[in-house]
Amino acid sequence: MSAPSMTKFIAKRPWLKRWIVPLANWYADAAGYRKLGLRADDLIPEESDTVMLALKRLPPKEAYDRVFRLRRAFQCSLSHQLLPKDQQTKPEDDYLYLTPYIKEIEAESRERGDLEAMIVHKRNQNKS
């Protein structure tokens, strides 16, 4: 599910961060999802089993807020209008709320795969 991330690479290099952060902020603003009141994690497709399980693990308030944001964005899209400035998602409010659950589920899946692939050998007990 997760794509390779260059975040750590960029964060370690201040000169590169000075170039990338404004570009990333411009791109997020140009994408337009904030103008519809959405957050970045609202754009993650729900087709995968990992994402469906992550959605089930969300706290009830966060799950309700997500559905509200999606419905409101759909209504805005149908009416070809953007939300007023005071209702649009601000950059500081656009945090990752679903991605930590997805990463946790992927880690559990990897661990489960490792445990299922483990071969247990019976030790021979020497008779003395």
Side-chain angles (χ1 to χ4, degrees):
M1 167 69 212
S2 297
S5 176
M6 295 194 57
T7 307
K8 293 179 184 175
F9 178 80
I10 294 169
K12 289 180 182 177
R13 291 157 180 83
W15 63 272
L16 187 57
K17 187 175 179 181
R18 280 193 304 270
W19 281 75
I20 297 294
V21 169
L23 183 65
N25 289 335
W26 172 84
Y27 181 78
D29 190 46
Y33 66 88
R34 290 180 180 163
K35 294 176 183 173
L36 295 173
L38 295 173
R39 293 183 184 164
D41 278 357
D42 293 335
L43 305 177
I44 297 175
E46 297 179 9
E47 284 101 26
S48 106
D49 293 334
T50 305
V51 176
M52 292 299 290
L53 188 56
L55 289 172
K56 289 179 184 176
R57 290 187 184 184
L58 280 177
K61 169 112 174 68
E62 192 69 51
Y64 176 82
D65 290 346
R66 180 179 192 276
V67 171
F68 176 78
R69 286 191 304 271
L70 290 172
R71 287 184 181 174
R72 183 176 59 178
F74 185 67
Q75 281 299 117
C76 288
S77 179
L78 285 176
S79 64
H80 299 284
Q81 294 181 356
L82 298 176
L83 288 174
K85 284 277 189 190
D86 62 326
Q87 294 180 7
Q88 293 179 6
T89 304
K90 295 164 188 59
E92 58 271 7
D93 295 336
D94 188 12
Y95 59 89
L96 302 176
Y97 68 93
L98 189 61
T99 303
Y101 291 103
I102 292 172
K103 289 182 180 180
E104 179 182 318
I105 292 168
E106 288 175 344
E108 289 172 3
S109 177
R110 279 192 302 275
E111 184 179 359
R112 187 177 302 113
D114 291 344
L115 289 174
E116 289 174 355
M118 186 183 303
I119 299 173
V120 179
H121 296 286
K122 188 174 182 180
R123 290 179 31 174
N124 294 333
Q125 294 180 357
N126 296 333
K127 295 182 180 178
S128 298

